């Protein structure tokens, strides 16, 4: 049994806290911390089963995080705060000698840039300290990376083509809303896309590559090639890949709203002067858009996320598709959140469980595909995200 500190009280933090509270045999004590303690208190009351303590924390402040870690003495910090805060939290874990796990890679606040280089640079220091950092243990990145590792272990001698496909086939009834933090979401999807092909990155304009893909139980949806961080680690760890792409679905109405937001300058991340005060347009937009954590009650439909892989097994060409479908209403009934928060929070809890029970071991900084996928795959279904697979079907890509 182990103490765990969860940093972040959004929709994902709510799911992680709820799932940790469900498993007292592993998570003996839970502390949930956020900039706004009142949000933690609500989560503790509604899904904490009387097992969650709360605290106020500015995770940008390393000294403050160090003090909280020293006071509570967790074995692991689960970071589900903003990606801007990854490095300060990792610094605090280094100083206190505590293991670290997150769901999304670091990005600087003043630039929409996503890469693992900043966090990978911590490897030697974590190794010297005798602790581990687990990067990207949400769904994508996270489960998709573990799906890939599972495929490499059990289904292929060489993987050549990887397409990660992410469909939200749900309807929240809002004219425009994002399914996770609007600031992060809009920064991600409005930058140029990238995919890996023949040993190099190929850059694309946003939404330049489009194809209708068919998703189980949902049907055909327009899907677009974006850049997503797991491509960086997967192409590094599986050098046989000739091409690796990430696809995400967007409806026409969503894209129309997004174009308007960009055209009128509301997606800008640089400050503008308004009545003598510096205002960042995207941060202001975030404040007026619906809170993703409040979308769950009326959300219908489901998500479908998986990996479509082509390669060689025993000298023969083989295809493999592995995926999960998560109904929004099912997620809401269990945790009070919609499916996108649920599919990120459940793997974060299970990854923490893998670390605390010794199924995943190491000293240094690791992406999840570097661990044995089997114990994770064996248990992810029982925690609410069962997976399905299809061998030698039509991958469409």
């Amino acid at each position: 049994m182990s103490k765990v500190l969860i940093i972040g009280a959004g929709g994902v933090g709510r799911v992680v806290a709820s799932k940790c509270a469900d498993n007292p045999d592993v998570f003996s004590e839970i502390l949930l911390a956020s900039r706004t303690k009142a949000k933690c208190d609500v989560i503790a009351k509604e899904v904490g089963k009387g097992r969650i303590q709360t605290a106020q924390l500015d995770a940008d402040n390393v000294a403050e995080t160090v003090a909280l870690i020293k006071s509570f003495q967790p074995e692991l910090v689960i970071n589900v705060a903003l990606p801007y805060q990854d490095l300060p939290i990792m610094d605090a874990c280094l100083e206190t000698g505590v293991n670290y796990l997150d769901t999304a890679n670091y990005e600087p606040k003043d630039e929409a840039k996503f890469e693992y280089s900043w966090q990978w640079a911590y490897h030697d220091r974590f190794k010297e300290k005798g602790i581990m950092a687990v990067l990207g243990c949400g769904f994508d990145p996270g489960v998709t990376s573990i799906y890939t590792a599972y495929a490499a272990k059990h289904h292929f001698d060489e993987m050549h083509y990887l397409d990660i496909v992410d469909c939200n086939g749900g309807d929240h009834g809002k004219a425009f809303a994002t399914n996770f933090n609007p600031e992060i979401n809009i920064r991600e999807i409005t930058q140029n896309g990238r995919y890996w092909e023949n040993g190099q990155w190929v850059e694309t304009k946003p939404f330049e590559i489009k194809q209708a893909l068919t998703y189980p139980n949902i049907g055909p949806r327009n899907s677009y090639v974006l850049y997503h961080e797991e491509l960086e680690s997967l192409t590094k760890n599986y050098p046989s890949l000739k091409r690796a792409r990430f696809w995400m679905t967007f409806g026409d109405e969503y894209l129309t709203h997004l174009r308007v937001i960009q055209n009128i300058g509301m997606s800008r991340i640089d400050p503008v002067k308004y009545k003598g005060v510096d205002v960042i347009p995207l941060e202001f937009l975030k404040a007026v858009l619906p809170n993703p954590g409040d979308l769950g009650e009326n959300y219908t439909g489901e998500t479908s996320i998986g990996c479509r892989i082509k390669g060689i097994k025993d000298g023969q060409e083989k295809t493999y598709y592995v995926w999960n479908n998560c109904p929004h209403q099912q997620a809401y009934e269990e945790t009070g959140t919609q499916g996108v928060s649920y599919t990120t929070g459940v793997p974060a809890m299970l990854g923490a469980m893998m670390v605390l029970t010794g199924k995943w071991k190491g000293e240094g900084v690791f992406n999840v595909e570097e661990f044995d996928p089997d114990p994770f795959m064996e248990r992810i279904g029982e925690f609410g995200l069962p997976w399905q697979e299809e061998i030698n079907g039509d991958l469409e890509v």
Side-chain angles (χ1 to χ4, degrees):
M1 298 203 302
S2 306
K3 292 183 176 183
V4 63
L5 167 61
I6 305 166
I7 301 178
V12 176
R14 181 185 181 95
V15 175
V16 175
S18 175
K19 288 293 191 175
C20 286
D22 285 340
N23 291 277
D25 55 324
V26 175
F27 305 100
S28 58
E29 293 185 49
I30 304 161
L31 177 60
L32 177 63
S34 169
R35 192 183 301 272
T36 307
K37 184 176 181 293
K39 293 170 67 177
C40 301
D41 293 337
V42 169
I43 291 172
K45 179 181 178 181
E46 294 181 352
V47 299
K49 293 88 179 174
R51 301 194 55 245
I52 296 177
Q53 306 170 53
T54 64
Q56 192 279 330
L57 174 67
D58 177 2
D60 291 317
N61 187 320
V62 176
E64 197 172 311
T65 307
V66 166
L68 184 62
I69 291 173
K70 286 183 175 179
S71 171
F72 185 62
Q73 297 188 331
E75 187 173 332
L76 174 68
V77 171
I78 303 175
N79 170 20
V80 286
L82 293 174
Y84 318 136
Q85 297 168 318
D86 288 0
L87 299 190
I89 296 173
M90 290 180 77
D91 287 334
C93 287
L94 262 178
E95 187 170 334
T96 54
V98 173
N99 298 308
Y100 168 92
L101 180 144
D102 68 28
T103 62
N105 72 350
Y106 172 75
E107 62 174 284
K109 194 171 178 63
D110 59 355
E111 184 181 7
K113 184 176 182 179
F114 309 89
E115 61 183 48
Y116 277 117
S117 60
W118 292 286
Q119 291 178 278
W120 285 343
Y122 278 67
H123 178 76
D124 289 344
R125 282 174 285 167
F126 267 72
K127 186 176 181 179
E128 289 166 8
K129 196 76 173 183
I131 57 176
M132 72 188 306
V134 179
L135 307 183
C137 196
F139 205 104
D140 44 349
V143 174
T144 51
S145 306
I146 294 166
Y147 282 169
T148 304
Y150 183 82
K153 181 176 180 178
H154 295 285
H155 291 282
F156 293 97
D157 298 321
E158 280 192 7
M159 296 186 298
H160 292 163
Y161 301 96
L162 167 66
D163 287 277
I164 297 169
V165 291
D166 182 329
C167 172
N168 182 5
D171 180 10
H172 46 56
K174 305 289 185 183
F176 182 84
T178 62
N179 292 294
F180 59 95
N181 185 293
E183 186 180 351
I184 303 300
N185 184 217
I186 292 172
R187 282 167 64 115
E188 281 188 4
I189 65 177
T190 55
Q191 67 171 319
N192 284 345
R194 279 196 297 162
Y195 65 92
W196 180 261
E197 189 166 37
N198 297 325
Q200 62 183 2
W201 293 105
V202 179
E203 188 166 302
T204 67
K205 295 297 182 183
F207 311 108
E208 178 182 344
I209 299 177
K210 168 186 172 183
Q211 185 171 336
L213 301 178
T214 304
Y215 295 86
N217 209 40
I218 295 173
R221 293 295 174 97
N222 286 335
S223 307
Y224 300 83
V225 170
L226 306 178
Y227 174 69
H228 226 241
E229 61 248 49
E230 65 262 48
L231 296 180
E232 184 181 12
S233 66
L234 289 171
T235 52
K236 173 188 174 186
N237 290 316
Y238 297 101
S240 67
L241 285 171
K242 298 177 181 179
R243 188 184 66 212
R245 300 178 295 191
F246 182 93
W247 302 78
M248 184 173 281
T249 61
F250 297 95
D252 292 341
E253 186 176 0
Y254 183 97
L255 293 179
T256 299
H257 278 86
L258 189 63
R259 280 192 292 272
V260 172
I261 288 168
Q262 289 181 278
N263 288 341
I264 63 175
M266 288 305 297
S267 63
R268 287 173 55 177
I269 61 176
D270 57 310
V272 298
K273 196 72 80 175
Y274 177 71
K275 293 187 176 180
V277 178
D278 281 339
V279 176
I280 295 176
L282 185 54
E283 290 184 357
F284 176 79
L285 180 66
K286 172 186 174 181
V288 299
L289 285 175
N291 178 0
D294 297 334
L295 297 175
E297 185 174 6
N298 298 310
Y299 223 133
T300 58
E302 58 193 301
T303 64
S304 182
I305 311 173
C307 297
R308 303 183 183 191
I309 305 170
K310 183 185 294 184
I312 300 296
K313 179 67 173 179
D314 297 328
Q316 301 295 314
E317 187 174 273
K318 181 178 182 177
T319 69
Y320 180 68
Y321 179 23
V322 54
W323 74 92
N324 162 265
N325 275 38
C326 178
H328 288 287
Q329 275 303 301
Q330 183 177 304
Y332 181 75
E333 288 165 9
E334 182 185 345
T335 63
T337 63
Q338 35 87 354
V340 177
S341 295
Y342 189 86
T343 55
T344 305
V346 172
M349 179 283 299
L350 182 53
M353 184 179 287
M354 294 291 103
V355 172
L356 296 174
T357 58
K359 300 294 186 182
W360 290 355
K361 297 179 181 179
E363 296 176 354
V365 175
F366 303 92
N367 293 89
V368 294
E369 68 268 17
E370 296 178 79
F371 301 111
D372 182 3
D374 290 358
F376 186 98
M377 294 287 279
E378 287 166 5
R379 300 206 65 183
I380 188 71
E382 73 181 81
F383 294 119
L385 297 176
W387 50 279
Q388 300 179 67
E389 59 185 354
E390 180 182 68
I391 296 171
N392 289 333
D394 178 11
L395 297 184
E396 298 183 304
V397 288

